[in-house]
Amino acid sequence: MYFSLGVAVVSVFGLVFTVSAFAWICCQRKNTKSQKTPPYKFVHMLKGVDIYPESLSGKKKFAAPAATTTNDSTLHLDLEKRDLNGNITTKPFHHHHQKVRSSPELELPSPHAGFTQPGVMDRRDLPSPSSTLSSQAPTPAVDKPQGEERDGGLGTLHFSLEYQPERKAFIVHIKEAHGLSPTDEQSLTSDPYIKLTLLPEKKHRVKTRVLRKTLDPAFDETFSFYGIPLARVSELALHFMVLSFDRFSRDEVIGETLVPLSGIDLTEGRVLMSREIIKRNVKKSSGRGELLLSLCYQSTTNTLTVVVLKARHLPKTDNNGPTDPYVKVNLYHGKKRVCKKKTHVKKCSPNPVFNELFVFDLPSDEGLRDTSVELLLMDSDTGNSRSSNTVLGRLVLGTSSAGTPGEHWREICDHPRRQIAKWHAMSED
């Protein structure tokens, strides 16, 4: 009985305590809601002073000690990032401090030299839109014209001159060349070699070996000319011609340089020299066009192979219209024509490509001795059957031919079974 009464009393006290605690909590909440919310929130505590936004308005400043710690600067940054309600804003609030510039009228140094507050960029350091765009825009590379880089030159030739009086020998040592002009458009290289001629007689002609695929060839070759007195050397001149070897057509001239020997003292030993290679002064043909021709003499079968490859720079017709060219090939034994052939007509082509091969059986067992080949570059006139075709140019190759045709003929006679191709200028008759 007493036990039950004790349990009931404890239960009553627990219930009263619970109700009282609940009522007290409700009263506290009610009192809290009934209190008027201050217009501004508490922002921060600096040096034990409550800071409210109204105290930061106008030109008012807080007097801070001279020795301000890093933590104070950090608190100051937090103030500048909040608005009147204590919220973070992107536009900093203008708070004035002794060590931080807060207005244009206040010219105060920063706390530390070179100090930059984290997360804040000075207005003076902000890049302008125009400067930002100009810094992001790529700077185009300014290429110098080719004429300014080389000043019209096609490379440089290095050589040396020497005279040995005891042997009466004039010695030319071709060392190297640099910066030659490329002749192959695909590989942008050349196969250079040099032809050297002693002027004015042109009796002494030599050439170097061919160096493959290079624009800076190192020849390192020496040529000695004997029987020339020292007094005679000053009257001579050296003509260097730089060429690029072409297996299937005429070698292309890269450039040349002329070196007069007057005024060069060779009595004291070797003289080192360098000369710029310039463009060759080529005399233009009479305007009848040029023909690329390949010849091969087969001594075993006693035959002559003529390959008409292509033509270029053909003249226009009388009415300034395009030409319809073709080539007639006539084989002569003495003054008698023994065989004739012709290529196909290339319509409206000032630079036709034929690539046609003809094989002639030589009438004499003496080979090419009394044989000659005549080539006629014709313009086909298919519109008028009564009029004869016009002869644009003529070329004759034989033992009595002069210039390039005669040289070409002698080469195939001296080198049987070798296919040799050369460009030839066509003549009028």
Side-chain angles (χ1 to χ4, degrees), residues 44 49 75 93 124 172 387 412:
H44 221 292
V49 180
L75 296 177
F93 188 83
R124 294 171 296 179
V172 180
S387 62
I412 64 170

Side-chain angles (χ1 to χ4, degrees), residues 22-38:
F22 179 75
W24 182 80
I25 292 174
C26 292
C27 292
Q28 291 295 329
R29 289 184 177 180
K30 185 177 180 181
N31 293 335
T32 303
K33 292 182 180 181
S34 62
Q35 292 179 359
K36 185 177 180 180
T37 303

Side-chain angles (χ1 to χ4, degrees), residues 179-236:
L180 298 182
S181 177
T183 57
D184 191 344
E185 297 179 356
Q186 296 181 353
S187 62
L188 296 179
T189 58
S190 297
D191 298 332
Y193 69 97
I194 295 178
K195 282 185 177 180
L196 171 61
T197 306
L198 283 184
L199 301 178
E201 289 86 357
K202 298 183 180 180
K203 293 181 179 179
H204 303 281
R205 296 183 179 181
V206 294
K207 63 181 180 180
T208 67
R209 67 189 188 279
V210 178
L211 298 182
R212 301 288 184 179
K213 298 188 181 302
T214 178
L215 300 179
D216 301 294
F219 299 104
D220 197 18
E221 296 189 38
T222 302
F223 302 96
S224 300
F225 303 92
Y226 296 94
I228 301 178
L230 181 60
R232 175 69 174 158
V233 173
S234 60
E235 301 176 1
L236 302 177

Side-chain angles (χ1 to χ4, degrees), residues 113-414:
F115 174 76
T116 303
Q117 296 177 348
V120 176
M121 181 181 292
D122 192 356
R123 184 178 298 273
R124 294 171 296 179
D125 299 333
L126 290 175
S128 62
S130 59
S131 62
T132 305
L133 292 175
S134 62
S135 62
Q136 292 177 355
T139 303
V142 180
D143 296 331
K144 293 183 179 180
Q146 186 176 2
E148 294 182 3
E149 293 178 355
R150 295 194 175 190
D151 297 331
L154 301 174
T156 307
L157 178 64
H158 302 275
F159 59 96
S160 64
L161 307 178
E162 185 181 0
Y163 185 79
Q164 296 179 358
E166 64 277 5
R167 297 191 299 170
K168 291 185 179 181
F170 176 60
I171 301 174
V172 180
H173 178 74
I174 301 178
K175 185 179 179 182
E176 59 189 358
H178 290 295
L180 298 182
S181 177
T183 57
D184 191 344
E185 297 179 356
Q186 296 181 353
S187 62
L188 296 179
T189 58
S190 297
D191 298 332
Y193 69 97
I194 295 178
K195 282 185 177 180
L196 171 61
T197 306
L198 283 184
L199 301 178
E201 289 86 357
K202 298 183 180 180
K203 293 181 179 179
H204 303 281
R205 296 183 179 181
V206 294
K207 63 181 180 180
T208 67
R209 67 189 188 279
V210 178
L211 298 182
R212 301 288 184 179
K213 298 188 181 302
T214 178
L215 300 179
D216 301 294
F219 299 104
D220 197 18
E221 296 189 38
T222 302
F223 302 96
S224 300
F225 303 92
Y226 296 94
I228 301 178
L230 181 60
R232 175 69 174 158
V233 173
S234 60
E235 301 176 1
L236 302 177
L238 299 178
H239 179 249
F240 296 93
M241 184 182 295
V242 185
L243 302 99
S244 179
F245 175 76
D246 194 333
R247 183 178 179 182
F248 302 103
S249 64
R250 184 174 61 180
D251 296 345
E252 184 172 352
V253 178
I254 298 177
E256 64 180 358
T257 183
L258 184 64
V259 183
L261 299 180
S262 58
I264 300 178
D265 187 9
L266 299 177
T267 59
E268 297 183 358
R270 178 176 297 183
V271 178
L272 301 178
M273 303 185 70
S274 298
R275 287 292 186 272
E276 291 293 327
I277 302 171
I278 60 176
K279 188 176 181 180
R280 184 187 181 190
N281 186 15
V282 182
K283 294 182 180 180
K284 294 184 179 180
S285 60
S286 57
R288 311 310 300 176
E290 295 179 87
L291 185 66
L292 180 58
L293 193 66
S294 177
L295 302 177
C296 179
Y297 169 56
Q298 296 286 347
S299 58
T300 56
T301 58
N302 199 29
T303 58
L304 176 66
T305 302
V306 179
V307 183
V308 181
L309 295 173
K310 55 185 177 180
R312 64 186 180 186
H313 309 318
L314 301 187
K316 293 183 179 180
T317 57
D318 296 336
N319 56 0
N320 290 329
T323 57
D324 300 331
Y326 69 97
V327 178
K328 278 186 177 182
V329 185
N330 299 322
L331 181 67
Y332 283 85
H333 181 67
K335 294 183 179 181
K336 180 182 179 180
R337 187 176 68 178
V338 295
C339 188
K340 62 178 182 179
K341 297 184 180 183
K342 66 178 181 178
T343 66
H344 292 85
V345 178
K346 300 295 179 179
K347 294 289 186 179
C348 302
S349 178
N351 300 295
V353 178
F354 300 102
N355 287 334
E356 296 191 38
L357 181 144
F358 306 102
V359 179
F360 296 94
D361 293 325
L362 299 179
S364 174
D365 296 335
E366 297 179 359
L368 300 176
R369 181 176 179 180
D370 295 329
T371 305
S372 61
V373 177
E374 179 190 41
L375 296 102
L376 298 175
L377 186 58
M378 311 291 294
D379 179 25
S380 176
D381 191 0
T382 57
N384 189 356
S385 59
R386 294 183 180 181
S387 62
S388 60
N389 296 333
T390 305
V391 178
L392 300 177
R394 180 174 180 265
L395 174 66
V396 178
L397 298 97
T399 54
S400 60
S401 300
T404 305
E407 181 183 351
H408 196 180
W409 193 262
R410 287 188 293 271
E411 287 186 12
I412 64 170
C413 292
D414 297 337

